[in-house]
Each structure stands twice: as structure tokens, then as C-alpha cells.
Amino acid sequence: MILLEPNSYVLEETLLTRFTSEKPEVVDITLVDFDNVIYHVQTSAEQRTLLNLSVEMKYFNEVLAYGAESILQREYGDYIVPVTNSQYQITLQFNLEQLPSDKAGLAKHVSMLKRNVLASPFIRAFEYWESQQEAAGPLMATHYRENEAIYVQAQQDRVTVIFSTLFQEEVDRVLGKVFLQEFVDARRQAAIQNAPQVFYSSREAPLEIRHLPELRQDESVGYVSFVLFPRHFANAEVREQTISQIQLFRDYLHYHIKCAKAYMHSRMRTRVKEFLK
């Protein structure tokens, strides 16, 4: 297994190759990231020194309500240009002749765009907690995949993050339940007491979101709740790490399931060969 990174590695490599190329070329590349995010890297024959990066996010209008626009302006304001294609929600433009000296750092920073945009509900929840409000904050839902969502809500002493995950296949459903139950059990070990509290439920939604009419009530849906305490987000550096890691939970879970299935298939093939002998 590999360690999943919060940035898009293929986007970083694609941009760095164009940033360091001695001769600008005509480029038209489409890349796909986790959660069905699409990147379109393009230059025109007339203006080869202007590199455009367009991004399609199905959930972009949702995160706009949580402050995604201000994050984009803060992180990429110098490169944002008006969107010309209705398919995309964000467009960045880079003049290949006027790039900063740290081109590798720029490519790495741009490859974090999806992570930074999706961080907006988490940042909003952490800011609400810092305001020391006695009542619970608003429930922020981001439907980052079809029939799946992330729900974030700040409370007086914690921030709750709930993932709804959909298992399409029966085998994935069984393995997913085993892995998710391990998250709950592993939290009880003394060695990882600094980890967030984890709760898992199948079919029945947690109390925080049970009132929502959009929820599915069948065996294919599971809900994982992470309870973040101040130690997970009070410090600025720890906060950024928490956001990066918790965003990758769904990708990590399904990647882990695929690795487990591949391992079991290899063991079964080995056993079949032994039987044939």
C-alpha cells in the first residue's frame, strides 16, 4: 500500500514539466482526481506562453457558501482569471515567462487546489468553535460524490465530521464494515489515544444528520463519525494536518478495500495452483 497525499501528484508533475520546459508547446491535457474532480491543462497555438488550468468540481457551489471564494483569492488570487467554459468553475492562468523562481513550489501549491477548496467547511467550523458560541454551529454538507457527502458541524467543545459512504458491491460492503469497525476498536488502544473518537453505523444515520430528508436508508450505506477535539485543531499547524488527513478518509478506505481484495485474489490463485499440482 502507498500513503495517499492530499495533493494531486499527476497535476503537480504535469505543471512542473510545463513550467520547466525550455520551449513552450501546445498542450491539451485532461486529468481526473479523486472525487471526480477534473483538471484541464491547456495552451493555445497563438499564445503558447499562457498556460490555463481549468477545474471542474461538482460540489463547488456548495463550498462557496462556506468561504471557498476567499480561500481561492488568498491562495491563488494572482492567477485567477474569468471562467470561459461553463463546464468548469475555476480557471487559473500562468504566464510561463513570468513564473517565480521556485517553480517546483508553485506546482506543488497549485496541486493542492482541490484540498484547499474542500477545506472551507472545516475552516468555517473551526472558526465557529473559536468564537466560543454556546449553541451548535450550522450543519455544513458537501456532496463531494454521487450519493455520498461530508457533514461538518461545530459544537461548544468539539467539531463533528460525518462521512456517508456507499458500497456498490456486496463484497465491498462486507469488507467495508470490517475495516470501519476496526477504526472504532483501534481507538480504544492506549497507543493512539490522541486520535479522534470514531463511531460507525450501518443503515441508520447519526443523530446529527438523521433529520435530513435526503439520506438513504438501506444496507449499502454506512456512516462514519469523527469527533475532533481542540487538540486536533487549536494549533494552526496541527489544524492543517487534520484537514488534509480527514479529507482522504473515504479514498483511503476504498483504496484499502481494493488492496485487500487484490491480496485475497492472489492467495486464492496460489492455492488453485497448489491444488492443480
Side-chain angles (χ1 to χ4, degrees), residues 129-145:
W129 173 84
E130 290 176 345
S131 65
Q132 298 182 348
Q133 300 288 335
E134 295 184 359
L139 180 65
M140 294 174 284
T142 304
H143 295 80
Y144 65 115
R145 296 181 65 90

Side-chain angles (χ1 to χ4, degrees), residues 92-263:
L92 306 182
Q93 187 175 87
F94 306 92
N95 190 332
L96 300 180
E97 295 179 339
Q98 300 178 3
L99 294 175
S101 57
D102 186 10
K103 298 179 181 178
L106 176 60
K108 177 79 171 182
H109 184 59
V110 175
S111 68
M112 296 279 287
L113 189 146
K114 168 184 168 291
R115 180 265 178 205
N116 292 332
V117 170
L118 193 55
S120 55
F122 298 93
I123 295 176
R124 178 68 61 86
F126 297 153
E127 291 175 346
Y128 187 90
W129 173 84
E130 290 176 345
S131 65
Q132 298 182 348
Q133 300 288 335
E134 295 184 359
L139 180 65
M140 294 174 284
T142 304
H143 295 80
Y144 65 115
R145 296 181 65 90
E146 186 177 1
N147 298 323
E148 298 185 33
I150 304 175
Y151 303 93
V152 184
Q153 185 176 37
Q155 297 175 345
Q156 189 175 8
D157 59 342
R158 68 192 66 187
V159 172
T160 303
V161 181
I162 302 173
F163 285 83
S164 66
T165 181
L166 180 67
F167 299 104
Q168 300 286 355
E169 301 179 4
E170 180 63 25
V171 176
D172 291 353
R173 191 179 310 161
V174 175
L175 292 176
K177 288 183 179 180
V178 174
F179 291 147
L180 292 173
Q181 190 59 47
E182 285 296 323
F183 272 92
V184 178
D185 296 339
R187 175 61 179 78
R188 301 168 185 166
Q189 300 177 15
I192 54 173
Q193 286 300 308
N194 289 329
Q197 285 188 351
V198 183
F199 302 96
Y200 168 67
S201 62
S202 176
R203 187 184 181 92
E204 187 174 359
L207 290 174
E208 291 86 352
I209 63 174
R210 196 170 296 175
H211 63 281
L212 299 177
E214 65 200 39
L215 300 181
R216 294 180 56 171
Q217 301 290 337
D218 56 60
E219 295 295 336
S220 63
V221 182
Y223 297 94
V224 187
S225 303
F226 293 89
V227 181
L228 304 179
F229 293 103
R231 64 176 179 270
H232 299 122
F233 53 82
N235 178 275
E237 183 177 353
V238 175
R239 173 183 299 189
E240 295 301 317
Q241 294 178 356
T242 298
I243 294 175
S244 298
Q245 293 175 6
I246 203 167
Q247 281 186 14
L248 291 172
F249 167 75
R250 191 268 184 197
D251 302 318
Y252 168 79
L253 171 64
H254 286 256
Y255 171 66
H256 200 73
I257 291 174
K258 289 178 174 61
C259 289
K261 291 168 68 175
Y263 174 74

Side-chain angles (χ1 to χ4, degrees), residues 33-39 55-66 68 87 89-90 112-122 141-146 148-150 247 251:
D33 197 1
F34 292 126
D35 307 330
N36 297 324
V37 175
I38 298 176
Y39 303 104
V55 186
E56 178 186 358
M57 295 182 179
K58 304 293 186 183
Y59 52 84
F60 184 72
N61 290 332
E62 287 183 313
V63 294
L64 276 180
Y66 311 140
Q87 176 184 353
Q89 291 79 37
I90 307 170
M112 296 279 287
L113 189 146
K114 168 184 168 291
R115 180 265 178 205
N116 292 332
V117 170
L118 193 55
S120 55
F122 298 93
T142 304
H143 295 80
Y144 65 115
R145 296 181 65 90
E146 186 177 1
E148 298 185 33
I150 304 175
Q247 281 186 14
D251 302 318

